[in-house]
Amino acid sequence: MTDRATYWALWFHGIEPIGHLVELAREAERLGAGAILLADEGIDRDIYVVFAAIAAATERIALIPGITNPFSRHPVASAAALATLEELAPGRVVAGFGVGGSMVFGPMGIAPARPFTALAETLDVVDRLLAAEEVTHRGAFVTEQAKLPWAPRRIPTAIAGRGPKVQRLAAERADWVLLAGKKVATVPDLVAGIRRDAAAAGRTPPAVLWNPGAAWTADAIATTRPRFSYMTIDMDPHDRVAFGITDDTVAELRRLLLAGGPEAAAHLVPDAVLEQFAIVGDRDHVVEGIRAARADAAPEVLAFEMHAYTLDHVADVADLATAAGCAFAHAPILTH
Amino acid sequence: MVRTAVWLFPEASAAATVDAVRAAERAGIDEVWLGDEGPAREPFAVLAAAALATERITLGVSVTNPYLRHPALTAATAMTIDELSGGRFVLGIGPGGGMALGPVGVARERPLARTRDAVRIIRAVADRRATDGFDPPPYSMPAAPLRVVVGARGERFNRFASEAADGVFLGGIPRSVLPDTIGWAHSVRPIEIGIHVNTVPGERELEHLRPALIWTLVDAPPVTRERLEVDPVALAAAVDALTAGDDGPARRIVHDGILPELVLAGSPTQIATGLRTYVDDFAPAAVGLLLHPDGDPVGAVEAAGEALRVLTSLSRSATT
């Protein structure tokens, strides 16, 4: 594997007051983080408003919607927002899209018919709008001679999502692929596959940003476990058997999820699931795990969860990322 | 004392528009409004940047529409800017004009019903309660009061605003139609009236703007066109000609007799004198200038500031 630099990033949800999110992003930049990702879910804070505020308070950290979707905004509106953000933070914006999920659609009562098709079309339309082309498109959504003549430049695109279709789309069309919630041991092969598919398509392979679900304190592990409540139910039956998860457990998980959400069901998530889908343990174990992950998959960026929205946590991540060999981002990490 | 406002579309760069907002605050203007239309910058991101660069001025969007974003998201966006600015944001919503919806190929289907639903959902999100079309997730932003105004031309919309909104944004509405429009807006509750008038600094700019004013007539309800004696067939032909690059018919339709209905032109003092008549005749809560900056939004705002200063001093001297 090449000794390419791996930068580190933080993955935010807009669940804290905006002034505090800005403060945390500033500190992250000061400590060498290469990027902030921001989820676009539920009724959390608007990603472009938060990013505009972070842009004003920072100089170089990349701003990545992690991820937005083709539905809560019309793709033309998303393109305009991304281009506006690029004007406010030149060279620092990535257009991150996914199909969207229950956290987005549940609260808004959206039930898209063809989410993957919409994602593929959105990628194409947004890319063309950001290149200041006029776009007329009829598919999962419509545009009619839409144009952003002022769009400053093409913005790198990023895709996140589960499954081979999305990964192939990333290989063939995107500049970045965002990986999260994957079995850690499978990621190197998955990344190799994406790089191979890209080569076969005659293009530069997408850069890889990977969130391996690192957690190295009791509190952090406690916030990680609930994230896997849904995944444990949605797991392949074959895998479920391998993890020793019975049908009774699945039923109980469903009941608890309905009644009290992921936290209520978390205690039923086997340790084995955590151990395979995340890098958890004491700090040394996690540093080693991250180091190995870096070596095997050679991602351009490793992303870390905000287990706590505190300056201490940001410093802790910076420390651990550095110990695991991540580079300090002295300059913007995006290349065009 | 009537509040003062400027309204512009973010056609200049985001940074230049932020500078214009800063200039508005420096000039002592009370409110700045940015339009939300397909080809211009996204106003919410620009207002976020403007919020950080200002302290007192009210920041408004006029108007967003119910089609380009899910209303629950629109609510979250509004609440985020409100949080960032310390409570200075106002959300203007309306059915959207041709410039907003054309590029996204969205037909204005059921505009009143969609706007009504949007306002209902926006209120529910701001209050953190469930409604048809919104189910509060386990986490969302804390409940917060959100000011919502409706910007629309027709009777049904303004009556709806009177039931459900905190105010109306009457932008670019022909003067002789204002009494009726305000009557509709006050038909249920005495909500705040904001009147925003096209302004240009001189003859050259006036002639430049003249054909574009035809869109005001296109978007207006039929009763307005009747009142102004605009022939619908001639209007349609003028729109076609304009789209094909010939502004002659549009110039003839927006003749000198109609111009005073639609625009104030001249020096800051002349504009102030014109605005004063709106204040005297209609007693709005706010009066604003719709600017057509042509590349220099800061300069346009500074000139507007001058006009509004004169207006304020005219009003003051009238009451002493």
Side-chain angles (χ1 to χ4, degrees):
Chain A
M1 280 287 121
T2 63
D3 201 22
R4 162 184 42 220
T6 299
Y7 298 103
W8 62 276
L10 292 173
W11 208 315
F12 283 15
H13 282 67
I15 59 174
E16 292 278 316
I18 188 171
H20 189 50
L21 293 174
V22 171
E23 195 192 2
L24 294 169
R26 262 171 76 112
E27 183 66 356
E29 177 177 88
R30 195 181 72 79
L31 295 175
I36 300 288
L37 298 108
L38 181 56
D40 186 14
E41 284 181 352
I43 309 302
D44 294 349
R45 286 161 178 80
D46 179 280
I47 57 172
Y48 300 108
V49 173
V50 175
F51 274 146
I54 291 176
T58 53
E59 290 172 358
R60 55 186 186 277
I61 199 164
L63 310 170
I64 308 180
I67 43 180
T68 188
N69 66 79
F71 306 106
S72 54
R73 290 176 189 79
H74 189 285
V76 169
S78 286
L82 287 160
T84 305
L85 188 59
E86 173 72 20
E87 259 194 351
L88 293 169
R92 296 168 55 187
V93 181
V94 173
F97 283 90
V99 295
S102 58
M103 293 287 280
V104 177
F105 304 138
M108 298 184 193
I110 301 176
R114 298 179 294 157
F116 177 78
T117 305
L119 171 62
E121 291 177 11
T122 294
L123 211 61
D124 177 52
V125 165
V126 167
D127 199 37
R128 290 164 61 198
L129 285 170
L130 294 175
E133 283 179 37
E134 182 179 286
V135 180
T136 295
H137 170 84
R138 276 181 195 86
F141 56 89
V142 171
T143 74
E144 196 69 56
Q145 297 177 296
K147 194 170 187 198
L148 303 177
W150 51 270
R153 67 179 63 79
R154 223 199 128 258
I155 294 173
T157 54
I159 302 189
R162 283 179 227 282
K165 267 204 314 186
V166 173
Q167 277 143 29
R168 195 158 39 247
L169 184 65
E172 289 168 5
R173 304 266 294 280
D175 300 300
W176 285 80
V177 62
L178 311 179
L179 303 174
K182 308 277 182 222
K183 241 189 232 178
V184 173
T186 65
V187 169
D189 280 347
L190 197 153
V191 166
I194 290 173
R195 289 178 174 142
R196 244 188 340 262
D197 285 349
R203 64 185 299 266
T204 315
V208 174
L209 183 148
W210 178 23
N211 173 1
W216 57 96
T217 65
D219 285 344
I221 295 169
T223 65
T224 298
R225 198 181 289 270
R227 238 170 261 130
F228 293 102
S229 303
Y230 283 106
M231 181 195 288
T232 305
I233 294 182
D234 290 341
M235 206 176 276
D236 196 76
H238 192 77
D239 283 338
R240 271 217 294 275
V241 166
F243 281 119
I245 298 165
T246 65
D247 288 346
D248 282 347
T249 308
V250 171
E252 183 64 3
L253 267 162
R254 276 194 220 282
R255 191 187 70 75
L256 288 168
L257 272 166
L258 222 58
E263 285 77 13
H267 65 277
L268 290 175
V269 174
D271 284 350
V273 167
L274 233 56
E275 281 152 23
Q276 294 202 24
F277 284 84
I279 301 181
V280 297
D282 65 30
R283 195 179 180 283
D284 287 344
H285 174 86
V286 171
V287 168
E288 270 322 298
I290 303 279
R291 230 201 269 280
R294 253 201 81 218
D296 294 343
E300 277 77 356
V301 179
L302 281 166
F304 295 84
E305 299 284 348
M306 293 298 285
H307 297 297
Y309 282 81
T310 61
L311 293 168
D312 278 350
H313 177 68
V314 174
D316 211 13
V317 172
D319 232 44
L320 185 129
T322 309
C326 290
F328 189 107
H330 292 285
I333 67 171
L334 303 176
T335 50
H336 290 260
Chain B
M1 185 66 79
V2 68
R3 295 196 306 270
T4 58
V6 286
W7 178 25
L8 56 157
F9 287 77
E11 287 154 350
S13 73
T17 304
V18 171
D19 284 344
V21 176
R22 231 193 250 120
E25 181 168 275
R26 265 199 315 270
I29 297 171
D30 294 308
E31 307 175 350
V32 63
W33 296 82
L34 294 187
D36 184 16
E37 284 189 343
R41 273 82 174 160
E42 204 244 35
F44 298 102
V46 176
L47 286 174
L52 294 165
T54 54
E55 289 173 1
R56 291 179 308 281
I57 194 166
T58 294
L59 307 165
V61 165
S62 180
V63 288
T64 192
N65 64 74
Y67 302 99
L68 265 64
R69 296 177 190 84
H70 190 283
L73 174 65
T74 301
T77 307
M79 290 164 72
T80 311
I81 306 181
D82 206 39
E83 181 182 65
L84 181 63
S85 66
R88 293 187 279 138
F89 184 74
V90 184
L91 180 66
I93 188 165
M99 294 279 283
L101 303 186
V104 297
V106 173
R108 275 169 62 165
E109 54 106 27
R110 302 165 53 238
L112 180 59
R114 290 290 294 264
T115 306
R116 188 186 286 275
D117 283 345
V119 172
R120 175 176 52 77
I121 290 171
I122 288 165
R123 294 285 199 207
V125 173
D127 294 343
R128 279 206 75 180
R129 62 184 157 73
T131 188
D132 191 17
F134 171 63
D135 193 13
Y139 174 81
S140 57
M141 292 180 63
L146 191 59
R147 281 177 291 167
V148 179
V149 303
V150 168
R153 299 170 179 280
E155 177 174 355
R156 292 187 318 151
F157 271 95
N158 282 283
R159 287 187 183 280
F160 158 66
S162 196
E163 283 171 36
D166 300 312
V168 284
F169 183 100
L170 303 181
I173 290 184
R175 201 181 198 288
S176 59
V177 182
L178 278 173
D180 282 347
T181 314
I182 292 170
W184 301 326
H186 279 168
S187 57
V188 180
R189 291 149 64 235
I191 61 176
E192 284 200 339
I193 307 295
I195 297 177
H196 302 264
V197 185
N198 278 295
T199 61
V200 289
E203 281 301 311
R204 187 179 61 82
E205 294 85 357
L206 181 62
E207 287 313 313
H208 185 74
L209 183 66
R210 188 191 291 259
L213 290 169
I214 202 169
W215 297 111
T216 299
L217 301 174
V218 169
D219 284 341
V223 62
T224 302
R225 290 198 285 273
E226 280 159 31
R227 183 81 60 84
L228 300 178
E229 295 175 359
V230 172
D231 169 37
V233 172
L235 182 62
V239 167
D240 286 343
L242 188 62
T243 311
D246 172 17
D247 69 7
R251 287 182 179 280
R252 283 190 289 283
I253 295 219
V254 184
H255 56 78
D256 285 354
I258 284 187
L259 271 183
E261 290 273 343
L262 302 177
V263 57
L264 291 172
S267 68
T269 302
Q270 287 170 314
I271 288 178
T273 307
L275 285 176
R276 179 79 195 282
T277 69
Y278 281 83
V279 173
D280 287 347
D281 290 352
F282 305 118
V287 70
L289 283 65
L290 169 53
L291 304 178
H292 301 272
D294 192 24
D296 180 18
V298 172
V301 165
E302 285 171 347
E306 188 51 41
L308 291 167
R309 250 192 307 279
V310 174
L311 172 69
T312 305
S313 71
L314 284 176
S315 306
R316 220 172 258 138
S317 59
T319 57
T320 51

